[in-house]
Amino acid sequence: MQVTMHEDIESVLYSEEDIARRVHEMGQAITADYADKAEEGITVISVLCGGAVFMTDLVRAINLPIAMDFMAVSSYGNAAQSSGVVRIIKDLTHEIAGRHVIIAEDIIDSGLTLNYLLDILAARNPASIAVAALLKKQVPNQAEVDCKYLGFECPNEFVVGYGLDFAEKYRNLPYVGILKPEVYKK
Ligand code: IMP
Ligand code: MG
């Protein structure tokens, strides 16, 4: 049996072109804001696996020397709702003390993951920390997250693609979309 992905998508929220345009703008804003900080060192951190697709596009839109590093924290599992439970599965490879850190995140939902990460990373004495998130969901009771660079405010739906998964699938879709309800029931 042939298994492909596009048939599982009910609607596309942000097309490949929408995302490319926005990520490019975010990269330009970061380039302007950090041009005078590059000498001290800039590290762009991606939170695996969801943030990886966004991060690799974002760094190519930044016209400054940067280091890349990766962290993995537990997130959704296979459920479509945030558990709020986060733990470090993989830590950074390099030190961030004295460096300017930019966290590239896929989505801010409850906000718990990012706030947890911000606390951990702030304790390592970086020169500064900022968040760049592709999406921020409009949800009630979202924790306050200081997000300096935001791609899109997205509706309160479970979305997949461009790094975001359902049960580890659909991360490699080039757009962000909403799954057909029957896919959850498979
Ligand atoms: P939080 O609720 O802000 O802590 O979000 C934690 C993580 O849940 C995010 O980094 C995503 O990996 C994942 N997540 C949140 N909303 C969605 C979604 O709509 N689709 C896929 N993953 C999501
Ligand atoms: Mg994530």
Side-chain angles (χ1 to χ4, degrees):
M1 196 184 74
Q2 206 181 338
V3 183
T4 53
M5 294 187 296
H6 296 305
E7 301 78 46
D8 291 349
I9 303 300
E10 182 161 88
S11 63
V12 174
L13 278 180
Y14 308 106
S15 71
E16 200 172 348
E17 294 74 28
D18 294 338
I19 294 170
R21 198 180 317 115
R22 195 72 194 103
V23 171
H24 189 72
E25 288 168 359
M26 294 169 84
Q28 286 185 320
I30 291 171
T31 303
D33 292 349
Y34 284 79
D36 61 343
K37 299 185 175 78
E39 229 164 288
E40 291 162 288
I42 300 167
T43 300
V44 181
I45 293 172
S46 159
V47 186
L48 297 172
C49 298
V53 175
F54 169 54
M55 184 247 219
T56 52
D57 279 345
L58 182 68
V59 292
R60 282 175 287 178
I62 300 172
N63 183 19
L64 296 170
I66 58 118
M68 291 165 65
D69 210 338
F70 298 89
M71 246 179 138
V73 300
S74 67
S75 63
Y76 265 39
N78 292 353
Q81 257 215 325
S82 182
S83 64
V85 179
V86 278
R87 87 194 146 85
I88 295 184
I89 295 163
K90 184 217 169 295
D91 208 335
L92 298 175
T93 307
H94 306 288
E95 302 257 324
I96 55 166
R99 300 179 64 87
H100 297 277
V101 169
I102 301 168
I103 303 178
E105 245 298 44
D106 50 359
I107 190 165
I108 300 171
D109 185 6
S110 69
L112 295 171
T113 310
L114 257 184
N115 278 344
Y116 174 81
L117 274 178
L118 285 167
D119 282 351
I120 292 179
L121 297 179
R124 298 179 188 181
N125 300 315
S128 68
I129 309 190
V131 172
L134 180 73
L135 302 172
K136 186 178 183 186
K137 256 193 221 183
Q138 293 168 308
V139 291
N141 306 318
Q142 191 174 59
E144 184 103 6
V145 177
D146 189 3
C147 178
K148 189 163 181 198
Y149 306 98
L150 178 64
F152 305 96
E153 293 252 10
C154 91
N156 191 6
E157 302 266 9
F158 190 79
V159 293
V160 295
Y162 200 71
L164 292 152
D165 73 306
F166 171 63
E168 294 302 325
K169 286 195 288 189
Y170 308 105
R171 292 194 196 276
N172 56 320
L173 283 173
Y175 51 81
V176 171
I178 297 173
L179 282 176
K180 290 178 181 162
E182 60 261 35
V183 176
Y184 296 107
K185 294 173 198 135
K186 273 182 195 165

